[in-house]
Amino acid sequence: MSDTARTSTSDPAGVPALDPTSGAPSVVLEEVTRVYPGKVVALAGVTLTIEPGTFVAVTGPSGCGKTTLLHLVAGIDTPTTGRVLVGGTDLATLHDPSRYRRDQVGLVFQLHQLLPRLSARANVELPMFGTGRSSGERRHRADELLALVDLAGREDRLPVQLSGGERQRVAIARALANSPHLLLADEPTGSLDSVATNRVLDMFREVQQHGATVIMVTHEHDVAARSDRVVEMCDGRVVGETAV
Amino acid sequence: MTFGGLVARTILSKKARSAGLVAAVAIAVLTVVTLAVTSSGLESSAAQIISVGKADFTVVQKGVSDTLSSTIDEQEVARIEATPGVASTVGVLVATERINADNPVFIEIGIPPSKLAAFGVTILRGTAFAPDATNQVMLGWRAAANLNLKVGDKFKANGAVNTVTGIYSTGNAFGDAAAMFPLPAVQGYNRVPGIVTLVFVKVAPGASSATVAARVDHDMPELTTIRTASQFGRADRNLIYLKAAVNGSTVLAVLIGAVIVGNTMLLSLFERTREFGLLRAVGWTRRRTVGMLVGESLILGFVGAVVGVGLSFLVTAVIERLPALRGILHAQYSASAFWRALLTALAMILIGSAYPVARAALLSPLEALSHE
């Protein structure tokens, strides 16, 4: 990956890139439960502290609550009880959670979740709407990020014209659009071959090295082993932690 | 990419849905504009009759369903003429008759020849008819041209084969497309002796037509005075009913269209729920997400309005050529017709999108992303 966009504190359009000195947030979950309608318990009292600027993998079997945990930290779900604090701020007190998601969080979904009618560039531009950037600045930033994930020259392709690995890289570029301090990835390598998986994990490591906190949900132990710390979950609880 | 570009791309990528929404708006706008334009044209054509006589105001029977059904006794004409401030009156009987397929509603005006000048009639060729003649006629120059008749030719109308004694001009399209007969001849053929349809009144120099008209209204409550085309519309109950029907149809068209728009948008919302969830998840506010949905609808609504107006031109042209309306209906495209089109489209979009937009606004990102 080229570091041209990441090692500077601002890109040519004046948009701040990830800054190692800007301070990645800590993520703290305090006795968090999440019970869905039908009394389905997804999280049953999770307490967890993730240090700023670390690359953490959350692993465990299907249905153990990994994705729910990620959604709570992303601010797209709220705990039934307990608190989720990011950078010391209780997400439940946020006046505008969408702004938190836009400015602080980069989300990578398992199935990339690209809009099929939009080009790779346009998909990457989506989180930048409402940030005050002009359309030219958004385009420039998207092209820069696509180059960063080795997709230069494929900016105008629709998702259907890209391979699975390329789509996931577009999704990563989209997640990095607003230089998030918190990168959250849900099974990002689930549909990728080993080469593409290594490529994605290398990118996450670089993002972390440039000052972001990275939380990756995966059920693959060899993928989890590429992180700094593995948090193991089972039946909605944290059942073990391993420093890698 | 701009926000507008994003909206436009969505519209273009969902061609069937977009076309359906445009069609719904276009059909409603077509209905509303065509009704408005044709009713306005009919009203305008009908109202032209009061401007034939170059009068300060016209008197008709109050409460008639159709102005041509007005019956005013000639004694009442004399009372009108005796009203202070009235300089002169001309009582005319207006009837319609089918001459041929091209002239299904031909206007025939019965008028005393002595009143022709006061009525604003200028004889272009030939002479006036005799006061008591039963088979003489004068043709307006438009009618003569349409019927291909000249002075001395025979013209079968008003129950007789008439000799064309003259060709006249009134400076009014309605009057110039009609024929004039001696008043008794028209009264006799229509079996209404001593009756006229309209009384054209000229006020004395220095008198106020409004004051004189008000006096006639007050003194003869069975009659009503008309000074403008808009007053004519209020006096003619058929036109009142027509306007009411047009307004009712407009409301109905908007409601039906709004249901179709709402249904289309709701389907779109279900189809794109995950998309809305994704947009919310990557930081789009409710307002921006809803703005995209509304923006799409407004653009499609505007396109529908334009298509609907275009179609209304075609449909109105066809209606104008219908045998029953040929020569009577002259469609009038006023600015208000176009505003009505835009307002119709806007109302449909706003009413139709209210529920889908509320649903979109209330979507939680997580639920939307989990949508199958």
Side-chain angles (χ1 to χ4, degrees):
Chain A
M1 184 186 338
S2 161
D3 273 351
T4 52
R6 308 287 300 284
T7 51
S8 62
T9 54
S10 66
D11 67 14
V15 180
L18 283 176
D19 179 356
T21 63
S22 63
S26 60
V27 176
V28 177
L29 283 83
E30 294 178 349
E31 287 297 321
V32 171
T33 66
R34 182 63 174 106
V35 182
Y36 289 116
K39 296 187 178 173
V40 177
V41 179
L43 292 181
V46 169
T47 295
L48 179 67
T49 299
I50 295 172
E51 301 302 324
T54 53
F55 180 7
V56 175
V58 180
T59 188
S62 293
C64 70
K66 309 185 292 288
T67 298
T68 299
L69 185 148
L70 204 70
H71 288 163
L72 292 172
V73 176
I76 59 175
D77 197 5
T78 51
T80 307
T81 61
R83 298 198 305 166
V84 179
L85 298 102
V86 176
T89 302
D90 183 352
L91 296 188
T93 65
L94 288 177
H95 175 67
D96 187 357
S98 59
R99 186 167 183 169
Y100 159 72
R101 291 194 291 270
R102 186 191 70 196
D103 296 341
Q104 301 292 323
V105 179
L107 258 175
V108 181
F109 300 93
Q110 182 179 5
L111 294 173
H112 51 75
Q113 298 275 18
L114 301 178
L115 296 193
R117 66 176 178 281
L118 299 183
S119 65
R121 178 190 291 121
N123 268 289
V124 175
E125 286 184 42
L126 285 175
M128 291 187 262
F129 281 95
T131 58
R133 291 169 167 141
S134 68
S135 59
E137 288 169 342
R138 287 195 297 265
R139 181 188 174 96
H140 177 83
R141 174 73 172 157
D143 285 352
E144 187 180 64
L145 288 166
L146 286 169
L148 203 65
V149 296
D150 292 340
L151 287 173
R154 290 179 164 83
E155 296 89 349
D156 293 318
R157 293 202 180 174
L158 295 173
V160 74
Q161 297 168 318
L162 299 170
S163 70
E166 287 173 330
R167 287 180 215 170
Q168 196 61 296
R169 277 187 274 155
V170 174
I172 292 169
R174 182 181 63 194
L176 298 177
N178 293 328
S179 307
H181 296 303
L182 185 58
L183 182 65
L184 307 174
D186 187 5
E187 302 279 8
T189 58
S191 59
L192 305 182
D193 59 29
S194 59
V195 174
T197 294
N198 282 328
R199 186 85 191 83
V200 166
L201 293 173
D202 287 344
M203 286 180 195
F204 287 174
R205 177 59 73 186
E206 287 195 42
V207 170
Q208 177 260 327
Q209 285 173 346
H210 283 91
T213 303
V214 179
I215 305 175
M216 173 180 66
V217 162
T218 180
H219 66 276
E220 298 170 274
H221 288 287
D222 53 337
V223 169
R226 298 278 301 271
S227 67
D228 298 330
R229 176 182 165 203
V230 178
V231 175
E232 200 156 337
M233 293 186 68
C234 188
D235 296 333
R237 296 176 191 278
V238 174
V239 294
E241 293 188 41
T242 313
V244 179
Chain B
M1 184 170 48
T2 61
F3 187 72
L6 181 63
V7 169
R9 194 166 297 185
T10 305
I11 289 172
L12 293 174
S13 69
K14 308 278 179 187
K15 290 188 179 64
R17 181 179 67 84
S18 301
L21 205 142
V22 166
V25 174
I27 289 169
V29 168
L30 161 69
T31 307
V32 169
V33 173
T34 304
L35 281 171
V37 164
T38 51
S39 70
S40 165
L42 285 172
E43 179 181 337
S44 171
S45 296
Q48 279 195 38
I49 195 168
I50 65 165
S51 48
V52 174
K54 299 192 186 307
D56 292 314
F57 63 87
T58 307
V59 182
V60 299
Q61 185 185 357
K62 186 182 274 182
V64 288
S65 61
D66 170 357
T67 307
L68 296 188
S69 303
S70 163
T71 56
I72 302 175
D73 193 281
E74 283 177 318
Q75 289 176 343
E76 287 177 309
V77 179
R79 284 183 63 202
I80 295 168
E81 188 147 355
T83 301
V86 171
S88 65
T89 62
V90 180
V92 299
L93 181 63
V94 183
T96 59
E97 183 178 357
R98 178 185 169 85
I99 300 298
N100 53 37
D102 290 333
N103 297 277
V105 191
F106 189 74
I107 303 290
E108 297 168 352
I109 302 170
I111 182 171
S114 59
K115 299 280 191 178
L116 287 173
F119 196 55
V121 175
T122 304
I123 298 175
L124 302 176
R125 288 183 289 280
T127 59
F129 40 70
D132 297 322
T134 54
N135 56 358
Q136 290 185 355
V137 65
M138 288 200 321
L139 293 175
W141 66 268
R142 286 177 188 273
N146 288 343
L147 296 165
N148 197 26
L149 293 173
K150 58 185 185 303
V151 174
D153 286 349
K154 300 295 181 185
F155 176 49
K156 190 176 178 183
N158 198 42
V161 177
N162 304 281
T163 301
V164 178
T165 63
I167 307 295
Y168 68 83
S169 168
T170 61
N172 173 285
F174 188 87
D176 292 341
M180 290 187 182
F181 295 85
L183 179 58
V186 182
Q187 288 173 328
Y189 179 64
N190 290 283
R191 296 176 185 172
V192 286
I195 296 296
V196 296
T197 311
L198 308 167
V199 180
F200 295 89
V201 178
K202 281 198 169 162
V203 301
S208 157
S209 62
T211 305
V212 177
R215 196 171 290 149
V216 171
D217 281 330
H218 177 265
D219 293 347
M220 283 165 269
E222 73 280 12
L223 305 179
T224 189
T225 56
I226 301 167
R227 287 187 295 127
T228 63
S230 60
Q231 286 181 336
F232 179 86
R234 291 202 296 271
D236 191 307
R237 280 163 66 186
N238 278 350
L239 288 176
I240 293 170
Y241 295 148
L242 182 61
K243 279 184 177 175
V246 168
N247 289 336
S249 303
T250 299
V251 171
L252 207 58
V254 167
L255 288 179
I256 293 171
V259 168
I260 297 172
V261 168
N263 189 47
T264 308
M265 286 185 66
L266 212 49
L267 284 174
S268 168
L269 181 64
F270 287 137
E271 188 183 301
R272 296 165 60 195
T273 298
R274 286 174 74 93
E275 173 185 330
F276 289 122
L278 172 76
L279 293 173
R280 296 295 314 286
V282 299
W284 278 38
T285 58
R286 289 182 201 279
R287 183 185 292 184
R288 186 170 297 278
T289 312
V290 163
M292 185 174 70
L293 194 61
V294 172
E296 290 169 25
S297 306
L298 285 176
I299 290 173
L300 291 172
F302 181 75
V303 173
V306 171
V307 172
V309 169
L311 287 175
S312 79
F313 273 99
L314 293 175
V315 171
T316 305
V318 171
I319 292 174
E320 277 182 315
R321 283 161 180 73
L322 291 176
L325 293 173
R326 196 175 301 160
I328 296 173
L329 172 63
H330 300 287
Q332 294 202 326
Y333 283 93
S334 60
S336 69
F338 294 102
W339 278 116
R340 192 180 265 254
L342 275 180
L343 287 176
T344 300
L346 191 61
M348 283 175 63
I349 293 299
L350 292 181
I351 296 170
S353 64
Y355 179 63
V357 162
R359 289 273 312 241
L362 293 173
L363 274 177
S364 90
L366 187 60
E367 284 173 21
L369 281 168
S370 315
H371 184 82
E372 293 299 327

